[in-house]
Amino acid sequence: MIEILAISGSLRAASTNSALLEALAANAPADCRVTIYDGLGRLPIFNPDDEGERTPTEAARLIDAVTRADGIIVSCPEYAHGVPGGMKNALDWLVSRDAAVGKPAMLVHASPRSLYARAALAEIMRTMSFAMYEDRVVEIALLGRKPAEVEAILSEDANRQAMREAVLGFAEFIGDER
Ligand SMILES: Cc1cc2nc3c(=O)[nH]c(=O)nc-3n(C[C@H](O)[C@H](O)[C@H](O)COP(=O)(O)O)c2cc1C
């Protein structure tokens, strides 16, 4: 079983990024398990003084989850042409650890815009030595859609197929990186 950890950069209850990740999990191939990370909003603000023995429980949980995962999928909104603070904060907790080094990662997109955040996130994650999978791009336009519309779009056969194929391609990439 290939274990994939999915992280949404949005804390909104009706987040389209979180909905996309839940749909990816539901449509993943049989030999892939996609688990959604739910601790983003509980992470304290990163402070290098709080590493090592002082690492906060939630940060340790994140580091452990990333370490144990075979790969990471991130879906993240853009705020004011940047990566939302919560997402950057989560990544900051991983910077000086081994968890990210060589860890396969894939970005997926719930908005056709967000081009600054996409580029910034890719640059940040490459700098942290994540092994970025960039062969296949999943972009499903959910921006501004109501939850019922989001559910309908994510249930469309073509989108389900695209999500399945993307996770499949990412799983093959993970296999190649091992
Ligand atoms: C404070 C704020 C700032 C935003 N700034 C941008 C922006 O600069 N560029 C952009 O493409 N979208 C921007 N958006 C739109 C969000 O990226 C978009 O609504 C996204 O789909 C929300 O994701 P979610 O549904 O997962 O919460 C902004 C939204 C908020 C709330």
Side-chain angles (χ1 to χ4, degrees), residues 8-10 14-22 75-77 108-111 142:
S8 169
S10 173
S15 163
T16 53
N17 287 281
S18 302
L20 174 57
L21 292 178
E22 274 153 29
S75 187
C76 188
V108 296
H109 310 288
S111 164
L142 303 173

Side-chain angles (χ1 to χ4, degrees), residues 40-88:
L40 201 76
R42 292 191 298 272
L43 280 169
I45 303 281
F46 173 66
N47 179 348
D49 288 344
D50 291 341
E51 293 197 283
E53 282 178 10
R54 292 168 52 112
T55 301
T57 308
E58 191 57 46
R61 224 188 115 231
L62 170 69
I63 293 159
D64 186 50
V66 172
T67 302
R68 278 188 287 108
D70 297 308
I72 307 293
I73 299 179
V74 171
S75 187
C76 188
E78 173 172 297
Y79 292 162
H81 288 185
V83 177
M87 184 73 228
K88 181 63 167 69

